[in-house]
Amino acid sequence: MVTPTIQTLARDEVSIYRELARLERPLFVVRDDHGIAVTTDERAARRASVLAAVPPLRPESLGDPDFRREHGVSGAYQAGSMANGIASARMVVALASAGYLASFGAAGLAPAKIDEALAAIRHGLAGKPFACNLIHSPSEPALERAIVDACLKHEVRCVEASAFLDLTPQLVRYRLAGLAPDGRPRNKVIAKVSRAEVAEHFLRPAPPQLVRALVESGDIDARQAELAHRVPMADDITAEADSGGHTDGRPLVVLLPELLALRDRVQGSGSRIRIGAAGGIGTPAAAAAAFTLGAAYVVTGSINQASVEADQSEAAKRLLARAGVADCGMAPSADMFEMGVNVQVLKRGTMFAGRAKRLYEAYRNYDGIESLPAAERGELERQIFQRPLEEVWTECVRYFAERDPAQTERAAGDPRRRMALVFRWYLGLSSAWSIAGDEERALDYQIWCGPAMGAFNGWVEGTHLAEPANRRVADLAAQLMRGAAFAGRVAQLRLAGVRVPAGCTTYVPTRQGIS
């Protein structure tokens, strides 16, 4: 039997970091005749005076074990949906194959493309769990129904419900259509919210009036309606803090505890809905902080958009890879333009945010396209639309003819609504130009992005992940979760009064995942 020697004790920064990164082993801070050191060797620790100790902390042990068990995944980690298929079928398959939950970005896609993507995912995963985004579409209710139709058709057992301000018939339909005879919900709902009043809708069962209407329309049967009052509308609620796309910009340290407290008040101490964290999760420190606050799981978004598997152009990925924490701004959203709802986008390298705001100001100030002053209209046509507005309207009619004809029918006698659809043409296509990498429209790219992107870029600077070509989503997930566990060990040492060397406080991603 080999007797441990003093060489098993780590004293310099490189050695201390290496010991901290052995996450599957306990870590001891000791004092001997040579001073203070650390080790993961229990026999070596017994030969010295132990000052502090932290247990093993594996990445797969972070978060709520119920989340991992109920969703059939190995980590309490979800890659959130990014609209227009940016969170692609390829991305979902890659993450699910590695044991993580991922949500397909169905929002903004035509029903045929959603159907095609879900079929491809089901084929590629052979039964492994995944989710599909169901976004609230107040301006396009037909799209909301089409997504639910596709999810039911392909037996998608989980949706990520986003941008909902209240429950809608289609969301309730999805939830109740999956009720088993014993009342167990087979169709899971992860609700992404940023306000307590919205979260409360998901903490409770579906409203009776919505349930009755679904029975009358034949969308659910009497048995499902009878069981509806037993089932809350969500299995998980994601506290969405300052994120890319739709966001209220809430601080996570305020929002997450608020939703946890609300959950406890509404549901008591019995079986409870899990509360996760999204928005700003781009570094191990952010993920570790969310878990420390009580998050059952963490959700990433912006950082995945610059990954290999994202259906985003190489030009946009390069812009994202250069983004800093302060390089984001707010702009009017395409899907909720008339309501004045904003989305967070990348500012650096694109003029989209300023141009989109100009369109919203024109919408607020004038009653229709015909009311625009000639000079204003001319500038909009030259600088933003790059074509006559009447031509844009013709394209809108053609677009909605196959997607949702009611949109243009309602606008026929409403000049203001017609103007909104014309302006939404630019807002909608700007993300398509980004995805396609249209060089002529590079200044009009709409790239949804939150400050997590800049934080991530700062973390991976100087590593293989600095290059977008090396950013594979499963690797990002593994590195982030391993880094979160590393950060958790550092935090435990600090709480024990141990001063951790500066070079040992942050996990550095490597190709092997271990330094």
Side-chain angles (χ1 to χ4, degrees):
M1 182 175 181
V2 178
T3 302
T5 65
I6 204 67
Q7 279 72 36
T8 62
L9 302 182
R11 302 180 190 278
D12 61 275
E13 285 195 1
V14 173
S15 300
I16 292 171
Y17 177 90
R18 185 178 298 115
E19 294 296 280
L20 273 167
R22 299 181 190 276
L23 302 175
E24 71 286 351
R25 302 177 67 173
L27 181 78
F28 304 93
V29 179
V30 301
R31 177 185 284 119
D32 61 8
D33 294 341
H34 300 276
I36 295 176
V38 303
T39 184
T40 55
D41 188 327
E42 294 186 47
R43 294 173 301 170
R46 294 193 194 103
R47 294 168 58 89
S49 175
V50 177
L51 303 179
V54 295
L57 186 57
R58 298 176 178 84
E60 59 269 22
S61 68
L62 296 172
D64 191 328
D66 286 344
F67 179 88
R68 300 192 297 273
R69 183 177 63 254
E70 290 295 325
H71 290 284
V73 294
S74 59
Y77 178 101
Q78 179 194 355
S81 55
M82 291 174 286
N84 290 347
I86 294 174
S88 65
R90 183 185 175 198
M91 180 184 294
V92 171
V93 170
L95 282 161
S97 298
Y100 302 106
L101 186 63
S103 181
F104 173 67
L109 294 180
K113 285 191 172 294
I114 296 171
D115 187 80
E116 179 184 345
L118 293 181
I121 293 170
R122 285 293 303 274
H123 177 75
L125 288 181
K128 289 186 175 69
F130 71 98
C132 178
N133 182 222
L134 174 60
I135 192 167
H136 180 39
S137 304
S139 299
E140 298 182 69
L143 179 59
E144 200 172 307
R145 184 177 187 92
I147 295 175
V148 171
D149 285 344
C151 287
L152 295 176
K153 172 185 174 181
H154 293 283
E155 297 183 345
V156 176
R157 292 305 182 190
C158 183
V159 298
E160 183 185 37
S162 59
F164 283 83
L165 301 177
D166 201 347
L167 302 180
T168 67
Q170 294 309 314
L171 179 59
V172 174
R173 171 190 166 213
Y174 173 81
R175 180 66 161 170
L176 300 186
L179 288 180
D182 61 358
R184 181 176 56 86
R186 290 175 295 194
N187 290 347
K188 298 180 178 66
V189 173
I190 302 175
K192 187 181 286 186
V193 308
S194 56
R195 300 182 185 184
E197 62 269 24
V198 177
E200 189 158 0
H201 294 310
F202 289 94
L203 289 167
R204 301 184 186 279
Q209 64 272 22
L210 281 182
V211 176
R212 285 194 298 270
L214 289 169
V215 173
E216 292 169 1
S217 64
D219 286 314
I220 63 171
D221 59 35
R223 179 190 61 82
Q224 292 162 341
E226 176 65 27
L227 296 171
H229 71 281
R230 302 184 188 178
V231 183
M233 274 300 299
D235 301 275
D236 304 274
I237 294 176
T238 302
E240 184 178 23
D242 193 9
S243 63
H246 289 284
T247 181
D248 285 332
R250 299 280 301 282
L252 187 62
V253 293
V254 174
L255 179 61
L256 180 58
E258 180 186 28
L259 296 190
L260 287 167
L262 173 66
R263 186 272 311 274
D264 293 346
R265 288 196 303 272
V266 172
Q267 296 197 305
S269 58
S271 178
R272 298 184 297 178
I273 290 174
R274 298 173 292 269
I275 309 294
I281 310 294
T283 63
F291 285 125
T292 301
L293 280 171
Y297 57 96
V298 293
V299 182
T300 56
S302 296
I303 67 171
N304 300 317
Q305 191 172 187
S307 71
V308 171
E309 296 86 353
D311 193 1
Q312 180 64 279
S313 68
E314 294 305 315
K317 290 176 184 179
R318 287 194 295 271
L319 289 175
L320 286 163
R322 294 198 294 268
V325 172
D327 288 335
C328 302
M330 303 304 293
S333 71
D335 55 344
M336 298 185 184
F337 178 76
E338 296 94 319
M339 300 168 64
V341 174
N342 288 324
V343 290
Q344 188 161 210
V345 298
L346 183 67
K347 288 192 304 183
R348 184 177 182 179
T350 170
M351 297 180 68
F352 168 78
R355 290 176 173 178
K357 288 177 183 177
R358 182 174 180 182
L359 292 181
Y360 186 69
E361 286 301 314
Y363 174 75
R364 289 185 58 190
N365 294 333
Y366 302 103
D367 294 329
I369 293 173
E370 295 75 16
S371 302
L372 291 170
E376 174 78 1
R377 178 167 179 162
E379 286 188 14
L380 295 181
E381 291 179 334
R382 287 191 305 274
Q383 296 178 3
I384 299 180
F385 292 94
Q386 299 184 14
R387 66 192 65 192
L389 294 184
E390 289 302 330
E391 184 178 321
V392 174
W393 172 245
T394 300
E395 292 190 20
C396 289
V397 173
R398 187 182 308 118
Y399 171 80
F400 283 112
E402 70 171 65
R403 186 183 180 102
D404 185 5
Q407 292 285 327
T408 50
E409 291 170 5
R410 290 198 299 270
D414 187 343
R416 188 169 174 77
R417 181 167 181 79
R418 183 167 171 255
M419 177 168 63
L421 291 181
V422 168
F423 288 176
R424 283 170 54 192
W425 175 93
Y426 171 78
L427 301 178
L429 282 180
S430 56
S431 59
W433 294 326
S434 168
I435 292 170
D438 188 331
E439 294 181 1
E440 293 183 0
R441 284 292 198 166
L443 291 179
D444 294 292
Y445 287 178
Q446 179 181 185
I447 304 173
W448 301 300
C449 181
M453 188 75 254
F456 175 86
N457 289 334
W459 171 47
V460 302
E461 185 177 357
T463 75
H464 72 290
L465 293 179
E467 288 297 322
N470 295 328
R471 296 182 180 185
R472 296 193 173 274
V473 283
D475 188 30
L476 301 189
Q479 301 278 7
L480 195 65
M481 290 294 280
R482 187 168 185 83
F486 183 97
R489 278 161 69 96
V490 171
Q492 290 180 55
L493 288 176
R494 286 171 170 161
L495 286 173
V498 176
R499 182 177 297 174
V500 181
C504 304
T505 58
T506 303
Y507 177 77
V508 180
T510 66
R511 292 182 185 276
Q512 295 77 27
I514 303 176
S515 293

